Amino acid sequence: MKAHTEYLVFETKKRKEMVHITDQVEQIVRRSGIKDGLCFVSPMHITAAIYVNDLESGLIEDIGKWLEELAPERPEYRHHQTGEDNADAHLKALLLHHETTLPITNGKLDLGTWQRVFYAEFDGQRRKRVIVKVLGVA
Amino acid sequence: MKAHTEYLVFETKKRKEMVHITDQVEQIVRRSGIKDGLCFVSPMHITAAIYVNDLESGLIEDIGKWLEELAPERPEYRHHQTGEDNADAHLKALLLHHETTLPITNGKLDLGTWQRVFYAEFDGQRRKRVIVKVLGVA
Amino acid sequence: MKAHTEYLVFETKKRKEMVHITDQVEQIVRRSGIKDGLCFVSPMHITAAIYVNDLESGLIEDIGKWLEELAPERPEYRHHQTGEDNADAHLKALLLHHETTLPITNGKLDLGTWQRVFYAEFDGQRRKRVIVKVLGVA
């Protein structure tokens, strides 16, 4: 049994951006030497999330609009009395859940044909870290 | 330490359907021989989810209606320009989160009295797979 | 490899309440003796959730109001025909997801600066249990 940890860094150009990270996660799984187990992926921030879905630009736009409908930017959040202006980013991150776990079989991510992993940034334009921890049988 | 993997297949009669799968997951845990650890359950598709809640038909209907309110069927999603008509199924799957992890203690799912595991299908009527991976101490 | 399990008990004074539990989870990780691995945290109930976000009272209030907007208390849920009055609590729990997994590195929760763990109670004022299971390398 073995655990392997790496950290990814993202600094998006836009404040809100979906970044496709399946390949980076897959490379970490390969480097871990773990053949069978679980791969945990999570931002170390509270205004970003990880999600698994389709690599299709129309759907990615739909997801962004839908998150804005359900967790809109609004001046009147109480959190903004602290000087922040990003309460919506916290709510969007909660909606998508801040972490995901992925299965590893035969040394690879054991995902379905269309399952792709995304880093969902809701308050970017600065350096943010994502932890990837692989746990399993070497 | 040990890992054990099985795949379940579902082909629902209705396009949207909640399928109670606690017993099937429990049987996989038993076959794994793992006494203490975690059981990961996830569809290998991006229009279905796994959730844990009550086995009560009224509540299951409430959940379906509520998902339809928050992530409605609508023709105007950009994803539909690809020829698809199931963008709402992607959004519903994101809302419930595509995966869940369950605890195993003394060789059994360590769930509360009312916690039951469901496969939530949002674009069914075709064969879809769910991966169940058990990781822990034999 | 090792697994370690403890159960926390909460009985909130208010029916809906967010309880900060990072310190209690951290102490369980320390007692587990596990240096590298994953920490699973989940209520054993279907009207409560675990989430990770900011320890800031304004934002905690924003989250409560937002959950009430997206999953409101309403008399007309079908679940209420069973005599229950808490269908909204089930939906709020689904929205935040009923479980979370946290990474452990060097014997500690490997969280970002602002990441704090909360027990989100939506139907409290009675004893409810949370399972914390740590799995990893001792």
Side-chain angles (χ1 to χ4, degrees), chain C residues 1-115:
Chain C
M1 219 287 282
K2 199 178 158 180
H4 175 90
T5 307
E6 295 194 26
Y7 303 87
L8 299 171
V9 175
F10 298 98
E11 184 167 354
T12 58
K13 287 194 179 149
K14 288 188 275 179
R15 188 163 189 190
K16 293 188 164 80
E17 198 170 322
M18 305 305 200
V19 185
H20 176 225
I21 64 168
T22 314
D23 293 346
Q24 288 174 77
V25 176
E26 187 75 78
Q27 284 163 28
I28 293 172
V29 170
R30 206 173 306 137
R31 281 196 291 271
S32 77
I34 287 165
K35 298 302 173 201
D36 202 349
L38 297 172
C39 176
F40 169 84
V41 188
S42 175
M44 303 182 79
H45 301 264
I46 52 187
T47 52
I50 300 291
Y51 77 88
V52 173
N53 217 284
D54 205 351
L55 178 56
E56 195 278 298
S57 62
L59 186 72
I60 293 171
E61 200 179 308
D62 291 330
I63 293 170
K65 278 185 189 167
W66 174 72
L67 290 169
E68 188 56 36
E69 281 175 38
L70 293 191
E73 292 188 26
R74 284 199 285 225
E76 63 266 31
Y77 289 114
R78 274 220 36 207
H79 184 49
H80 295 174
Q81 295 178 14
T82 64
E84 294 284 354
D85 66 348
N86 63 356
D88 72 295
H90 292 269
L91 301 179
K92 288 175 172 88
L94 286 173
L95 195 52
L96 287 190
H97 204 56
H98 80 288
E99 46 93 345
T100 198
T101 305
L102 306 166
I104 299 164
T105 309
N106 298 324
K108 290 183 174 177
L109 290 177
D110 195 356
L111 299 175
T113 314
W114 305 104
Q115 286 185 302

Side-chain angles (χ1 to χ4, degrees), chain B residues 3-18:
Chain B
H4 175 89
T5 307
E6 296 193 26
Y7 303 87
L8 299 171
V9 175
F10 297 98
E11 184 168 353
T12 58
K13 286 192 180 151
K14 287 187 275 179
R15 189 163 188 190
K16 294 187 163 80
E17 197 170 323
M18 305 305 198

Side-chain angles (χ1 to χ4, degrees), chain B residues 83-95:
Chain B
E84 294 283 354
D85 67 348
N86 62 358
D88 73 296
H90 293 268
L91 301 180
K92 288 175 172 88
L94 287 173
L95 194 52

Side-chain angles (χ1 to χ4, degrees), chain A residues 1 3 5 7 40 43-46 70-71 74 77-79 82 90-91 94-95 97-99 131 133 135, chain C residues 1 36-37 52-54 56 59 61-62 66 69 95 97 99-101 103-105 110 112 114-115 137:
Chain A
M1 219 285 284
T5 307
Y7 303 87
F40 169 84
M44 303 183 79
H45 301 265
I46 52 186
L70 293 192
R74 284 200 285 225
Y77 290 113
R78 273 221 35 207
H79 184 50
T82 65
H90 292 269
L91 301 180
L94 287 173
L95 194 52
H97 203 55
H98 80 288
E99 46 95 344
I131 181 169
K133 189 175 285 280
L135 187 69
Chain C
M1 219 287 282
D36 202 349
V52 173
N53 217 284
D54 205 351
E56 195 278 298
L59 186 72
E61 200 179 308
D62 291 330
W66 174 72
E69 281 175 38
L95 195 52
H97 204 56
E99 46 93 345
T100 198
T101 305
I104 299 164
T105 309
D110 195 356
W114 305 104
Q115 286 185 302
V137 184

Side-chain angles (χ1 to χ4, degrees), chain A residues 24 26 48 70 91 115 129:
Chain A
Q24 288 173 79
E26 187 75 76
L70 293 192
L91 301 180
Q115 287 186 301
R129 293 205 302 162

